[in-house]
Amino acid sequence: MASTPARPRFAIVGAGVAGVLAAIKLREAGFDDIVVYEKADRLGGTWRDNTYPGIACDVPSHLYSYSFAPNPEWSHVFSPGAEIQRYFETVATAYDVDPLICFGEEVRSLRFDGNGWLVETDARRDRADFVIAATGVLHHPRYPDISGLDTFRGPCFHTARWDHDVRLEGARVGVIGTGSSGVQVIGAIANRVGRLVVFQRTAQWVLPAENPPISADDRARFRADVQAMQTLRAELNRGFVENFADAVVDAGSPILQRVEELCRANLEGTVADPDLRERLRPDYRAACKRLVVSPNYYESLCLPHVQVIDDPIASIEPAGVRTAGGDLHELDALVLATGFQIDRFLRPIDVTGTVGMRLDDVWSDGPVAYLSVSMPGFPNLFMLNGPNGPVGNFPLIDVAEMQCDYVLQLIDSALGRNAPVSATQEATDRFEAERIEATKRTIWVSGCRSWYLDHRGIPVAWPWPMARFREVMAAPDLRDYEYAE
Ligand code: N01
């Protein structure tokens, strides 16, 4: 390998939730030659990028925290995005991760040279024995392919690139998209704008969830008793994650029927106008798309100055959005809540593995990785929250923690043999075939369009219960790995 196995060098790509975690865990494991490349000027990943009004995480905050850094100060059950961002910055500082981060350095290429990795940014060339890619899942905004989009004369921006200089008060604002981001934005701005036009392509199931503040008494209790927070976390995990995670991978689950009942009651109980109610009624099963959670979405849509347009968008013009029926909806500002390109992962980094294998070629039909962490032909390159892992309404922090512990064991095995390690082709093919077969039982293929599905209609997610993920992440089966001796 590139350096002496006694002091291997690690390059972590991305200082988001998973990258900061990797740095902490590597340090804890005794490694000290670590660099984190971060293209932006601040850590935080998704929580740095997404600053739109109403942003919060719909996983309870006491669960959406590192297991080793519980936070007694969470203000709400589902705390706002800025507070989550502060949490990650505070943890990074507490664990002295900041000095490891090279801000403003985007990794352009990763090239395996037989021993280790050549890492190139605009500013430098580096070498590393191990690369940990923590580049995120929902990272690259997806801009809709709508004719005339660039002709709109007012401000127009994606939810993940919110323009805080634009005054929305009193303005005529359009929102395209009604996924989790759009729903949160709509709930937050409906009362500020002069007129809101919501362009809905597909109706959503919306699970109602209040977001109460955490009382000062409870925060004091959590401060005094860390164990109380751990107990709460375990309860939330059982009640909130494990049950739902197991349900979405079994389309026949009674839990999904219950979720659908709750969503239906939310619609029936909140939207009095029968025409609007029918236009908001989905024609597919709840949780087929990623389930949207909101305390006030339907209320917002019922306001007199809010209009839901389900006539398909035909084009965008300087003055606004024209729909297929010929109406022009005149707007001052346009928000694109149109989601993310979910197959990017490491890309656009130019990644070359053994014998000149380029990742773009290997992934020409979509990203594939063994257990979401390792790829044949790319030794000592590991991914956190990589392709086809548990995604959706689950805490990706927990997923990344399990993957990190797993990867540390692979690193140990590579160091033990003084040879770079990667999954075998055979294990990767077997895993992918089993995974695709298992997706057929999931709710995601029950008849809807969503970012869970790739261009072939195959879900890009872990299709088994979370317990199975926990089990396989406990220890690598080294028979499924090979070493570039
Ligand atoms: O994106 P999405 P998102 N014309 O892909 C519509 C996480 N997240 O940013 O349903 C018109 O879900 C599209 O319509 P359709 C979470 O995992 C979490 O909202 O495809 N419409 C859809 O309505 C989430 O799932 C939180 O027919 C177009 C919307 O745009 C993921 O991020 C908060 C269109 C895109 O929805 C992504 O959510 C925010 C077009 N050309 C995000 N193209 C929380 O924790 C797309 N659409 C709360």
Side-chain angles (χ1 to χ4, degrees):
M1 289 194 270
S3 350
T4 59
R7 191 167 185 257
R9 181 163 170 80
F10 294 84
I12 298 171
V13 187
V17 173
V20 168
L21 169 76
I24 294 171
K25 290 275 183 180
L26 284 170
R27 271 253 191 75
E28 196 180 270
F31 301 112
D32 63 357
D33 192 5
I34 304 165
V35 59
V36 185
Y37 289 108
E38 169 53 60
K39 66 181 172 185
D41 58 2
R42 205 175 162 191
L43 60 82
T46 205
W47 301 104
R48 175 202 60 225
D49 287 349
N50 287 271
T51 60
Y52 59 77
I55 183 164
C57 183
D58 61 13
V59 172
S61 300
H62 279 282
L63 195 51
Y64 197 81
S65 316
Y66 295 122
S67 62
F68 52 87
N71 175 20
E73 310 303 338
W74 288 123
S75 68
H76 286 75
V77 169
F78 305 103
S79 298
E83 196 177 325
I84 300 173
Q85 170 70 12
R86 272 199 306 281
Y87 166 78
F88 289 115
E89 288 182 328
T90 306
V91 174
T93 302
Y95 283 80
D96 204 23
V97 172
D98 310 63
L100 304 178
I101 307 176
C102 298
F103 287 107
E105 279 202 48
E106 182 167 2
V107 173
R108 300 287 181 190
S109 88
L110 293 168
R111 195 168 300 276
F112 186 73
D113 69 359
N115 280 312
W117 289 90
L118 189 61
V119 181
E120 270 189 38
T121 71
D122 283 338
R124 72 176 98 183
R125 303 179 92 194
D126 191 4
R127 287 182 67 84
D129 297 293
F130 297 93
V131 173
I132 297 186
T135 47
V137 187
L138 298 154
H139 180 59
H140 297 279
R142 190 180 58 199
Y143 290 89
D145 184 15
I146 301 174
S147 99
L149 180 61
D150 55 353
T151 67
F152 182 64
R153 67 169 164 247
C156 172
F157 46 86
H158 190 276
T159 46
R161 300 286 182 271
W162 195 269
D163 185 343
H164 291 275
D165 291 336
V166 175
R167 249 182 86 75
L168 298 180
E169 279 64 24
R172 298 167 303 172
V173 179
V175 176
I176 299 180
T178 54
S180 301
S181 306
V183 164
Q184 287 187 331
V185 167
I186 290 161
I189 68 172
N191 281 313
R192 289 167 51 192
V193 300
R195 183 160 169 246
L196 182 62
V197 186
V198 174
F199 296 93
Q200 169 190 282
R201 188 164 69 176
T202 312
Q204 284 282 4
W205 289 108
V206 181
L207 189 68
E210 291 308 319
N211 185 14
I214 296 176
S215 70
D217 283 355
D218 277 342
R219 280 184 273 140
R221 185 166 60 85
F222 290 142
R223 238 172 268 136
D225 178 9
V226 173
Q227 192 47 44
M229 269 187 293
Q230 299 294 15
T231 306
L232 174 62
R233 183 186 170 92
E235 277 166 17
L236 289 168
N237 195 51
R238 264 194 308 280
F240 183 86
V241 179
E242 300 279 354
N243 283 340
F244 188 69
D246 290 2
V248 289
V249 296
D250 168 15
S253 162
I255 292 177
L256 291 181
Q257 283 163 23
R258 180 72 190 127
V259 166
E260 196 158 312
E261 282 162 21
L262 290 170
C263 294
R264 190 173 296 116
N266 187 24
L267 176 64
E268 306 288 349
T270 319
V271 184
D273 174 351
D275 168 60
L276 178 59
R277 192 166 61 226
E278 288 322 301
R279 291 191 294 124
L280 294 175
R281 192 184 299 282
D283 60 0
Y284 57 91
R285 294 190 54 196
C288 180
K289 286 172 177 290
R290 199 253 192 197
L291 195 64
V292 167
V293 180
S294 171
N296 63 356
Y297 179 58
Y298 287 144
E299 280 90 343
S300 306
L301 298 186
C302 292
L303 294 169
H305 64 289
V306 178
Q307 217 184 343
V308 176
I309 302 298
D310 54 356
D311 189 21
I313 296 172
S315 61
I316 294 177
E317 302 179 8
V321 174
R322 191 169 299 274
T323 49
D327 292 337
L328 175 66
H329 301 273
E330 293 193 30
L331 300 167
D332 302 312
L334 185 56
V335 175
L336 306 174
T338 45
F340 298 87
Q341 303 175 56
I342 57 99
D343 64 346
R344 297 291 82 200
F345 291 98
L346 274 156
R347 275 85 61 85
I349 303 173
D350 182 12
V351 188
T352 310
T354 53
V355 292
M357 282 166 88
R358 294 192 59 231
L359 191 66
D360 270 340
D361 297 333
V362 175
W363 281 358
S364 59
D365 209 25
V368 171
Y370 177 63
L371 294 176
S372 165
V373 298
S374 172
M375 293 163 298
F378 296 84
N380 283 5
L381 168 61
F382 307 112
M383 289 176 290
L384 301 180
N385 290 326
N388 309 322
V391 287
N393 295 74
F394 312 120
L396 288 184
I397 299 182
D398 205 26
V399 170
E401 284 196 27
M402 287 185 251
Q403 291 172 331
C404 223
D405 291 345
Y406 179 94
V407 165
L408 278 167
Q409 297 177 63
L410 288 175
I411 289 168
D412 271 353
S413 86
L415 290 173
R417 296 195 190 208
N418 196 18
V421 65
S422 58
T424 64
Q425 190 66 54
E426 190 275 324
T428 306
D429 293 346
R430 170 170 35 85
F431 168 72
E432 188 58 3
E434 286 172 8
R435 194 190 69 78
I436 290 173
E437 186 57 31
T439 61
K440 294 176 183 164
R441 292 188 292 275
T442 66
I443 191 71
W444 309 313
V445 292
S446 61
C448 69
R449 164 179 48 204
S450 80
W451 65 260
Y452 289 151
L453 303 179
D454 70 9
H455 65 101
R456 302 162 297 178
I458 296 173
V460 294
W462 178 261
W464 297 287
M466 280 300 271
R468 176 159 169 176
F469 188 72
R470 235 169 250 292
E471 204 179 300
V472 294
M473 283 295 112
D477 182 343
L478 294 182
R479 290 170 302 183
D480 289 342
Y481 286 89
E482 63 191 356
Y483 299 82
E485 307 283 355

